[in-house]
Amino acid sequence: MRQKVLITRKPPTYLMEQLSAKFDVETWDFEDQPIRRDVLIQKIDKIEGLLCLLTDTIDNDLLQKSDNLKVVSNLAVGYDNIDVNNAQLRSIQVTNTPGILTETTADLTFALILTTARRIIEASNELRSGKWKTWSPFMLAGMDVHNSTLGIIGMGEIGTAVVKRAKGFGMKILYYNRTRKKHLEEEHGIVYTNLDELLQTSDFVSVLTPLTPETQNMITLNELKMMKKTSILINTSRGGIINENDLITALKSEIILGAGLDVYEQEPIPLDHQLLSLPNVVTLPHIGSASVQTRMKMWELAVLNLTIGLEGGTPPNLVQK
Ligand code: NAP
Ligand code: GLV
């Protein structure tokens, strides 16, 4: 009997062919929308392998129904959408796609730093709406990125890749991380601080930890009040790490200068959300790793993880908890 696989979005054709040569593969392919929960529930007890996206919630309710499931391969490095503890209790392997998206996500993080600091979106909109009447000394004046201080919360793969870009801009780099990384301090001249000091002294604060029970709501009004009035908060990790209501308060009352966001508590963020009406916020639709090359690599890695797991091996990107 061939093992059954469900893929919750349409994969590239050559990978579909590769998987179909080994397994009975079914895909959810409906207008590029996430698989409906009732469909996932209905199918979960019939499959051995699941290749899912960060838009799919693989919680214990679902896992309890998954009698045959052996591997859950996530097409993302973040795996907060999956109840890994309960999967492991059921001997289900959970995998992710680390490493190959690091540089692309760091590019986007740095793009958000530059875009918010130099008010790029606002400036482009002003020009197109006919508000550009003349050159003027302080028209759309933003903040300098070069020689400023960057504070990175979460010095993992992406954090380290952001450091390399920031060094090119002559930035002073502080970091706060669960584990102190002295080898990175020596290699890049970065400085370890506690969270409060990082918030108090940085011009840009970049959040790059995973979303976990420990990091959820790590940044609330209390933390935002510690930041400089001229500082900018960048979030390219997960929405739940920053309390959005508190962020709105901080932006509206000029507690901080601005924010650059790629991720939200609710995705897609509702169009009437207050964050979308604030001029000092740059908002992107979760495109951190969205280059064609990187997305292809992510699909390839997710397929590899799934295949190795289903063939009885240890996938290269097994999530360890
Ligand atoms: P990573 O290499 O695992 O780095 C995460 C870092 O966060 C690690 O250094 C870890 O510390 C640190 N950390 C974890 N919990 C912490 C805590 N409670 N306090 C302080 N630091 C903590 O992961 P990555 O590849 O850099 O990715 C980071 C996150 O970015 C992902 O989990 C994902 O949510 C997000 N992401 C978003 C996009 C996007 O499209 N916007 C794309 C890719 C990734 P240790 O060194 O002690 O483990
Ligand atoms: C994207 O958000 C990822 O975690 O890969």
Side-chain angles (χ1 to χ4, degrees):
M1 277 279 282
R2 277 155 58 99
Q3 299 185 89
K4 292 189 175 51
V5 162
L6 173 65
I7 308 179
T8 63
R9 213 65 70 85
K10 193 178 171 205
T13 309
Y14 75 99
L15 291 174
M16 181 68 186
E17 286 168 3
Q18 201 173 301
L19 280 173
S20 301
K22 297 184 174 190
F23 312 111
D24 281 348
V25 185
E26 199 182 339
T27 61
W28 169 263
D29 178 19
F30 185 72
E31 294 178 353
D32 206 21
Q33 286 300 305
I35 189 167
R36 285 206 330 259
R37 179 79 180 170
D38 61 308
V39 176
L40 194 52
I41 288 174
Q42 183 223 322
K43 293 189 184 294
I44 199 76
D45 67 330
K46 299 174 191 71
I47 57 169
E48 278 83 16
L50 175 67
L51 197 162
C52 61
L53 274 60
L54 55 81
T55 47
D56 307 321
T57 303
I58 314 301
D59 55 16
N60 197 34
D61 278 355
L62 190 76
L63 292 170
Q64 279 174 343
K65 299 178 177 65
S66 67
D67 297 337
N68 303 304
L69 197 57
K70 293 182 188 165
V71 185
V72 176
S73 171
N74 209 31
L75 187 80
V77 64
Y79 47 83
D80 48 281
N81 57 314
I82 303 172
D83 183 340
V84 178
N85 286 331
N86 275 305
Q88 287 176 343
L89 285 175
R90 295 175 169 272
S91 302
I92 298 168
Q93 293 179 325
V94 177
T95 66
N96 65 343
T97 58
I100 38 126
L101 46 61
T102 299
E103 299 295 332
T104 304
T105 311
D107 283 348
L108 196 275
T109 305
F110 216 81
L112 268 179
I113 292 174
L114 288 167
T115 309
T116 44
R118 297 302 303 273
R119 305 171 63 182
I120 302 291
I121 308 278
E122 231 184 310
S124 173
N125 289 343
E126 291 241 335
L127 181 155
R128 288 173 184 226
S129 63
K131 288 187 188 147
W132 184 27
K133 301 296 180 202
T134 179
W135 187 92
S136 155
F138 286 102
M139 182 185 81
L140 291 160
M143 302 302 289
D144 274 333
V145 174
H146 70 274
N147 294 348
S148 64
T149 300
L150 171 65
I152 299 180
I153 303 173
M155 188 52 68
E157 296 280 336
I158 301 169
T160 309
V162 171
V163 165
K164 292 178 193 155
R165 287 151 180 79
K167 278 168 71 180
F169 278 72
M171 293 172 100
K172 178 177 179 193
I173 304 158
L174 313 176
Y175 80 101
Y176 167 71
N177 195 59
R178 183 171 51 189
T179 333
R180 187 166 173 182
K181 302 204 166 158
K182 289 201 172 161
H183 64 286
L184 291 178
E185 293 171 28
E186 279 157 28
E187 190 179 343
H188 297 297
I190 62 177
V191 177
Y192 180 80
T193 68
N194 61 37
L195 184 58
D196 291 5
E197 191 184 337
L198 181 147
L199 294 166
Q200 284 156 5
T201 46
S202 298
D203 299 304
F204 298 90
V205 173
S206 169
V207 178
L208 279 167
T209 67
L211 175 62
T212 64
E214 293 76 42
T215 62
Q216 184 143 26
N217 273 318
M218 191 186 230
I219 308 291
T220 64
L221 195 55
N222 184 42
E223 285 69 37
L224 292 161
K225 280 183 175 165
M226 290 185 206
M227 291 174 63
K228 293 184 187 176
K229 278 192 180 312
T230 50
S231 69
I232 290 174
L233 181 64
I234 305 292
N235 190 4
T236 48
S237 52
R238 283 292 183 271
I241 300 168
I242 298 172
N243 183 300
E244 269 172 17
N245 284 334
D246 287 358
L247 178 60
I248 290 164
T249 305
L251 289 163
K252 283 169 91 172
S253 23
E254 297 177 10
I255 289 170
I256 64 170
L257 184 68
L261 308 172
D262 186 42
V263 288
Y264 309 89
E265 284 172 359
Q266 186 191 334
E267 295 186 2
I269 183 170
L271 277 181
D272 60 356
H273 198 290
Q274 275 199 69
L275 274 175
L276 302 186
S277 66
L278 301 175
N280 48 346
V281 187
V282 174
T283 46
L284 299 178
H286 202 147
I287 56 164
S289 63
S291 73
V292 175
Q293 299 93 322
T294 291
R295 287 289 160 85
M296 291 302 279
K297 286 183 196 155
M298 288 166 70
W299 271 112
E300 285 170 6
L301 195 53
V303 165
L304 181 77
N305 282 320
L306 181 78
T307 305
I308 292 178
L310 288 179
E311 289 180 335
T314 305
N317 306 113
L318 196 59
V319 169
Q320 312 279 3
K321 271 226 161 174

